[in-house]
Amino acid sequence: MDGLISVAHGLTSEQVASAKSNHIPRRSSRSLSAILRANVFTLFNLVIGVLWALILIFGEWQDSLFGLVIVANALIGIIQELRAKRTLDRLAVINEAPVRVRRDGAEREIHPRDVVLGDLILLGPGDRLLVDGEVVHSDGLEIDESLLTGEADPVHKQPGDQVLSGSFAVAGSGAFVSTRVGTDAYAAKLAEEASKFHLAHSELRAGVANFIKYITWLVIPIGALLIYSQLHNSADLRTAVTGAVAGIVTMIPEGLVLMTSIAFAVGVVRLGRRQCLVQELPAIEGLARVDVLCLDKTGTLTAGGMDLDEVLPVSDDRRLVDEALAALANLDDRPNATAEAIRARYPAAPGGWTARSTVPFSSARKWSGADFGEHGAWVLGAPDVLLHGGACLDRATELAATGTRVLALCRTGSLAGTESGEAAAEPVALVTLKQRIRPDARETLGYFAKQGVTLKIISGDNPLAVSAIATGLGIPGGERSIDARTLPHGDPAKLGELLDTHTVFGRVSPQQKREFVTALQARGHTVAMTGDGVNDVLALKDADLGIAMGAGSPATKAVAQVVLLDDKFATLPYVVGEGRRVLANIERVSNLFLTKTFYAIVLSLTVGLAGMQFPFAPRHSTLTNALVIGIPAFFLALAPTLERSLPGFVPRVLRFAVPAGVLCAVAVLVSFWAAHSGTSTLLEDQTAAVITLFLTTWWVLVLIARPLNWWRAALVGAMAVLFAVGMALPFVREFFALEPGDLSNDLTAVGISILAALMISVAVKLAGTLRP
């Protein structure tokens, strides 16, 4: 008996102080030491560091400027990721839902980390289980363990049953005593993954990683060949070392990973300022690829909460109807939105209406009920589920067609019989509720229509009611609705066809929402799913991008990749726009960096095999790379854009960078050879090669920066002006070892550059890699 009393009252303050806490290190972002290691100790930094040391030993200090890239890359990367870390850590704390426990006989809400071993934890619909435990009280408690077992059907829990972290309550209420907390909990890792900022798989990052991997393998043999060639053919060691280093350094796309990380980090910070928590980094990429957006009407198109409109009795006994509604609305200490709306008019249960047994509401059964003994068994739910024909159902259908939410209040022989379908439900009244349409819904939906994102309205409500709301908001195809109960089961192909041709779907079960996502993905769509209730969890988890509303259940926020913390539907256009900005711009800068890599590979191979002098020194490469890649890439990576990212990132970049890089290299070699065959000095020959290198790669920048709006035109124009000014100023020419003294060489270089630019334009147009 003492044990039961202690369980009912929960732990005392003294017991809490000495118990093991639910402490798991927060990993919403990398630690400071991990950020430092990731940005400093990289393979490219090691290679560039060694080359930097060689130049400092054997060459002139001006040729070692490329070594500053190590410092700049590390500092910029560290600063940006620290900004993202602060944003994520702050938002992760906001997103952590409190846990309801009973201590010292009183109910209280505590932080998840303050849960201790032996705590009495209270559960209601939508609550996520953060620790393992044993059920001590159950009032129709149903737990969804699909995230652990893959089984979609909720499990009824009785006292003595075990519950595991990572699952969540979908119906009923109850309590359990925690038996394993912290790192001992079964799904501690899963629980932490919900708010972890990590570099999971994505096409973009995988593509960049593959570029880096293959280029690394190419650098080793080509670099060795170049070093041998320069040492074998140069008159002095200094010239040989600087020539070899110039080729190797140019092959390395040292800024590509940095720009990718910066673009993602800045995207996270920008969205964070709009109270949008990005829980997984690839979500940024998913935002850009989305072409189908599935919206759950409740909580997205409609604002949270409803208002009770009318109670329409079927019989003349209005008092009985009011008492039954009041009794049903006041059953649960944690009422859902429907019960709250009814409770606002019926704040207290009538005397003598004591529930002997209850069936909690769930989105699968679409009704709830209770057996009140001598007053009978009553149920409240969807008319088309509880009623089987008749004038009352016809009237409910008419009301639903206006966009009103309609419920049927029925008396039934038994709750068990109603659930099995054996007992008929006798209609007593129809209850209508007004739903609050979000004021920003129409404008937001219009944005998606303009951007080519197809909308699918998926709801558990009556399809006619959902269709009325969709039509009122101007959603294309909103007038055509389908009752999901009539959809084919076990035929994804047929289901996919219906999903492609229809927009509004009502009476959709949680499992069907998941099937919708799978069917759309099978037809090649990138699917985003929004939701706020526990019935959305499975679909959110399987969607390419799960978006949870901030006011939604803890379970939905745990599995979604993006959480709109301020619950504003109007934030979604900014979310999608940020994703498109990141991916489109990373593709642009990848074209820049890899064009440089490929022209360096061609130059190094040709020079190494031919045994000739390398056409420019490291300082020349530093100058051109800064003007046509480094500075422009920084601005292009962070620029606004509305282009939707398309699959095929890697082949598309290669189709651009390979021909552009090869033609740039050929132009530089021809210019250097033409100048070298005359009477000019080596410095004048290298200057001609640098002019050609700048002009051809500057034209590549022009192609990549299109469409040339005012700021992009100003950017590429400024780079040309800076190069011209540098060539005109004596101290700049001296610093970068430039000597444009041979007019014939310089004009030849300009002519070769123009011809190469035309050939590059034709090549990339034929490859079809650039948008106009």
Side-chain angles (χ1 to χ4, degrees), residues 558-570:
V559 300
Q561 290 92 358
V562 174
V563 181
L564 306 181
L565 293 172
D566 58 1
D567 209 32
K568 289 185 178 178
F569 183 49

Side-chain angles (χ1 to χ4, degrees), residues 397-421:
T397 303
E398 293 174 7
L399 292 170
T402 66
T404 300
R405 186 173 187 188
V406 185
L407 300 174
L409 175 66
C410 303
R411 193 200 299 265
T412 183
S414 72
L415 296 177
T418 301
E419 188 157 14
S420 65

Side-chain angles (χ1 to χ4, degrees), residues 387-720:
L387 306 180
H388 304 286
C392 192
L393 179 59
D394 293 339
R395 177 59 175 154
T397 303
E398 293 174 7
L399 292 170
T402 66
T404 300
R405 186 173 187 188
V406 185
L407 300 174
L409 175 66
C410 303
R411 193 200 299 265
T412 183
S414 72
L415 296 177
T418 301
E419 188 157 14
S420 65
E422 296 176 356
E426 176 193 351
V428 176
L430 293 177
V431 180
T432 63
L433 299 104
K434 289 181 178 178
Q435 301 183 88
R436 306 164 189 166
I437 304 298
R438 288 184 179 273
D440 50 18
R442 181 182 293 274
E443 182 179 353
T444 304
L445 295 172
Y447 164 85
F448 286 118
K450 291 178 182 177
Q451 295 303 314
V453 178
T454 303
L455 298 175
K456 303 295 177 186
I457 313 302
I458 300 173
S459 176
D461 283 351
N462 187 297
L464 294 177
V466 183
S467 178
I469 292 175
T471 303
L473 289 171
I475 297 175
E479 69 283 356
R480 299 192 310 274
S481 61
I482 290 184
D483 189 321
R485 293 171 297 184
T486 65
L487 293 174
H489 293 281
D491 189 352
K494 181 63 176 177
L495 178 60
E497 291 178 11
L498 291 171
L499 287 167
D500 264 348
T501 56
H502 290 76
T503 300
V504 176
F505 302 86
R507 294 295 180 227
V508 184
S509 68
Q511 184 60 34
Q512 280 183 309
K513 289 186 179 184
R514 189 181 201 179
E515 293 172 358
F516 281 16
V517 169
T518 303
L520 287 167
Q521 290 170 332
R523 295 180 70 83
H525 295 295
T526 301
V527 183
M529 176 77 191
T530 68
D532 66 343
V534 292
N535 59 317
D536 301 319
V537 170
L538 298 177
L540 286 172
K541 179 175 177 288
D542 286 356
D544 296 290
L545 182 68
I547 304 172
M549 309 304 285
S553 72
T556 58
K557 291 187 285 186
V559 300
Q561 290 92 358
V562 174
V563 181
L564 306 181
L565 293 172
D566 58 1
D567 209 32
K568 289 185 178 178
F569 183 49
T571 304
L572 277 180
Y574 297 101
V575 172
V576 173
E578 191 63 35
R580 291 185 174 184
R581 181 194 66 77
V582 169
L583 252 68
N585 292 338
I586 290 302
E587 185 167 327
R588 290 179 190 275
V589 299
S590 296
N591 284 328
L592 277 177
F593 280 104
L594 293 175
T595 296
K596 181 194 78 159
T597 293
F598 283 109
Y599 78 62
I601 289 173
V602 173
L603 284 175
S604 299
L605 274 174
T606 305
V607 167
L609 294 173
M612 59 185 288
Q613 177 75 41
F614 200 81
F616 49 79
R619 70 184 79 177
H620 299 145
S621 177
T622 300
L623 174 64
T624 55
N625 290 344
L627 293 179
V628 298
I629 298 175
I631 297 173
F634 185 82
F635 290 99
L636 291 175
L638 304 179
T641 182
L642 293 177
E643 299 174 9
R644 190 171 82 208
S645 180
L646 302 173
F649 163 74
V650 172
R652 195 162 52 248
V653 169
L654 289 177
R655 288 200 306 272
F656 178 92
V658 171
V662 170
L663 289 170
C664 286
V666 170
V668 170
L669 287 170
V670 171
S671 291
F672 184 69
W673 173 81
H676 200 56
S677 61
T679 59
S680 54
T681 64
L682 175 62
L683 200 57
E684 290 174 335
D685 298 342
Q686 289 180 330
T687 301
V690 171
I691 291 173
T692 302
L693 179 64
F694 173 80
L695 291 177
T696 53
T697 52
W698 179 82
W699 184 249
V700 169
L701 171 63
V702 172
L703 295 177
I704 289 172
R706 295 187 307 169
L708 289 176
N709 54 19
W710 71 267
W711 72 264
R712 287 196 177 109
L715 176 65
V716 298
M719 297 303 102

